[in-house]
Amino acid sequence: MNQPASAISQTLDLEAVRRDFPILSQSVNGRPLVYLDNAASTQKPQAVMDAISDYFSTTHSNVHRGAHTLGDQATAAFEGAREKVRGFLNADSTREIVWLRGTTEAINLVANGLVDTLKSGDEILLSHMEHHANIVPWQMLAKRTGAVIKVIAVTESGELDQDSFRELLSERTKVFTITQVSNVLGTINPVKEMVAAARKMGAITLVDGAQAVPHGPVDVQDLDCDFFCFSGHKLYGPTGIGVLYGRYQVLKDWPVFMGGGEMIERVSFEGTTWNECPYRFEAGTPAIAEAIGLGAAIDYMAGLGWHQVAAAERTLNERIQSWLPDFNGLQVIGTAANKAPVVSFVMDGLHPSDLGTLMDQQGIAIRTGHHCAMPLMARFGLPGTARASFAFYNTPEEVDQFFTGLKKIQRLFAE
């Protein structure tokens, strides 16, 4: 297994760290790759790939109930990864950690569990900046139950309008669901305070942490939310694996989501009883290798040191901000004071998709479009934006390359 490059260093050695990520050393269109699409998916360190390869090479078996050595070893590795997630989230117990495919499936599980609880006139409170994954499942639930969706406004700077939140929150609010960090704007939301207010009204609370976890551990006990979810591929881990944290006192009585093997206690043709938490929500053979890979990602990041990761991101944010004041023709969408290193923008006279293609020709990977946030685009009166999203392994020089690349495109179209 590769050891983190800076495991014995108190500062982040970016050159060494980047060697841990093989994909970053390649060229695209004859240029060194500058990967700035981290909000969509982060790259993977060699340690994660080694963990998955090692599992398939030496340990693979189905988990739980195997009466042989490989089964026991696979189960230990799988459940060991669950414990790593528990520690990362500071959950009280591993019985609160449910393996799923990702954030989307986690939100659907929670929403599906309320079908027989909500009634006509009940309200689901979410915000204008949500990802479609935290909108569509609630629309489906509202259609089935007669519940009403209420939407917290977003200010011109890309922050949640707290007056709007306080005005909409009431005893009719039965569900409050919110993103911790906006995937479009990078805005870091005051979710702890908002969750506390919603819980006082008796609402079930869910925090979408998909964009928060790449930037550091989350303390779900401190947030005091009922549910928290994220996707492994955002946290430098594999695709196809995600996590739903559920407060045990809520989760233990939550309706099951899928039926099949593993999630049962006893099956007969007269009826079936469910397994205990979290297994009652994990029907079928789970994503064993992916879970182990996510555990390796958590280990890798902890080995680097989250304080060092945060410091590297602050440096990137400062470098980004240094370019913005004098960049004519560039409109940044989302200028919150507290934000992750994400830049959503439009440029005068250029469609975002054209920008993406022209940047790719320079080896710079960005994302364009509505970013699965059409209501937010509509709020700003835009069909879409271009988005550059940075991770700790990006360098200040890559920030310069990004803005220099935009300048080059500007000059090209000015001629």
Side-chain angles (χ1 to χ4, degrees):
M1 296 284 182
N2 281 27
Q3 292 300 313
S6 59
I8 60 173
S9 173
Q10 295 303 307
T11 59
L12 212 53
D13 181 347
L14 277 180
E15 186 175 330
V17 164
R18 287 173 66 84
R19 289 197 295 269
D20 289 342
F21 292 80
I23 201 169
L24 299 180
S25 63
Q26 71 175 291
S27 294
V28 173
N29 293 320
R31 307 288 185 89
L33 171 64
V34 178
Y35 183 78
L36 304 180
D37 196 19
N38 294 285
S41 195
T42 56
Q43 297 300 345
K44 317 308 168 194
Q46 187 65 48
V48 169
M49 293 179 272
D50 286 348
I52 294 172
S53 177
D54 183 63
Y55 163 74
F56 280 123
S57 299
T58 68
T59 313
H60 173 66
S61 174
N62 215 325
V63 293
H64 306 137
R65 302 181 311 280
H68 56 84
T69 299
L70 288 184
D72 291 344
Q73 290 175 345
T75 299
F78 179 70
E79 293 300 336
R82 196 191 304 268
E83 168 58 27
K84 292 173 185 179
V85 171
R86 185 213 63 76
F88 178 76
L89 295 179
N90 192 34
D92 183 62
S93 167
T94 54
R95 63 187 179 177
E96 298 178 320
I97 304 300
V98 181
W99 294 121
L100 295 164
R101 289 180 298 167
T103 304
T104 299
E105 187 173 30
I107 295 172
N108 275 272
L109 185 155
V110 175
N112 188 74
L114 290 164
V115 168
D116 296 326
T117 302
L118 295 194
K119 61 183 184 299
S120 180
D122 287 344
E123 293 179 357
I124 301 166
L125 182 58
L126 44 77
S127 86
H128 224 121
M129 69 168 62
E130 301 307 314
H131 188 284
H132 294 164
N134 204 24
I135 298 174
V136 178
W138 304 112
Q139 291 177 325
M140 295 166 68
L141 176 64
K143 186 175 182 179
R144 294 172 69 181
T145 63
V148 179
I149 291 177
K150 297 291 183 177
V151 184
I152 303 163
V154 172
T155 68
E156 197 64 27
S157 64
E159 297 171 294
L160 293 179
D161 186 327
Q162 294 300 311
D163 289 337
S164 172
F165 170 64
R166 286 186 287 269
E167 180 180 334
L168 292 172
L169 182 65
S170 74
E171 293 181 353
R172 294 185 300 276
T173 305
K174 303 305 177 185
V175 179
F176 172 62
T177 180
I178 197 74
T179 183
Q180 191 168 9
V181 177
S182 168
N183 72 303
V184 177
L185 310 173
T187 305
I188 301 172
N189 292 317
V191 293
K192 179 180 177 180
E193 294 79 8
M194 298 176 79
V195 163
R199 292 199 68 211
K200 284 183 180 178
M201 290 295 178
I204 290 290
T205 57
L206 181 147
V207 175
D208 172 359
Q211 296 294 327
V213 294
H215 308 293
V218 174
D219 189 334
V220 292
Q221 294 191 66
D222 183 58
L223 287 182
D224 205 22
C225 54
D226 295 306
F227 295 101
F228 182 95
C229 51
F230 72 90
S231 300
H233 72 100
K234 308 289 190 182
L235 182 54
Y236 309 98
T239 55
I241 188 70
V243 171
L244 174 67
Y245 156 82
R247 186 199 309 272
Y248 181 70
Q249 291 304 315
V250 176
L251 191 66
K252 68 182 178 66
D253 297 320
W254 208 256
V256 296
F257 184 46
M258 294 178 65
E262 182 64 33
M263 53 77 66
I264 55 85
E265 178 184 49
R266 183 175 178 81
V267 177
S268 72
F269 285 110
E270 288 69 46
T272 296
T273 55
W274 313 135
N275 203 342
E276 61 186 6
C277 287
Y279 309 109
R280 63 190 298 169
F281 301 106
E282 297 177 357
T285 298
I288 305 166
E290 290 82 356
I292 291 168
L294 177 54
I298 291 171
D299 284 346
Y300 175 85
M301 295 303 295
L304 289 180
W306 283 106
H307 290 299
Q308 284 73 33
V309 169
E313 290 188 352
R314 284 194 298 271
T315 297
L316 292 171
N317 255 334
E318 290 166 2
R319 191 69 151 249
I320 292 166
Q321 295 305 314
S322 72
W323 274 91
L324 295 178
D326 300 320
F327 203 122
N328 296 325
L330 179 78
Q331 180 188 358
V332 175
I333 310 302
T335 56
N338 191 20
K339 62 180 292 183
V342 174
V343 184
S344 276
F345 64 97
V346 292
M347 284 181 67
D348 293 348
L350 285 164
H351 193 279
S353 63
D354 294 331
L355 268 174
T357 299
L358 292 167
M359 291 293 274
D360 184 58
Q361 291 174 2
Q362 301 178 63
I364 302 170
I366 64 172
R367 187 154 292 260
T368 65
H370 54 68
H371 313 296
C372 292
M374 287 184 180
L376 185 60
M377 293 295 110
R379 182 261 174 262
F380 284 102
L382 298 168
T385 68
R387 183 190 69 193
S389 49
F390 296 78
F392 74 97
Y393 47 56
N394 290 121
T395 67
E397 290 74 24
E398 287 182 323
V399 176
D400 296 342
Q401 286 176 265
F402 164 66
F403 284 106
T404 301
L406 293 179
K407 291 277 191 183
K408 182 178 179 179
I409 294 168
Q410 265 190 337
R411 289 194 298 270
L412 178 66
F413 280 84
E415 295 174 355

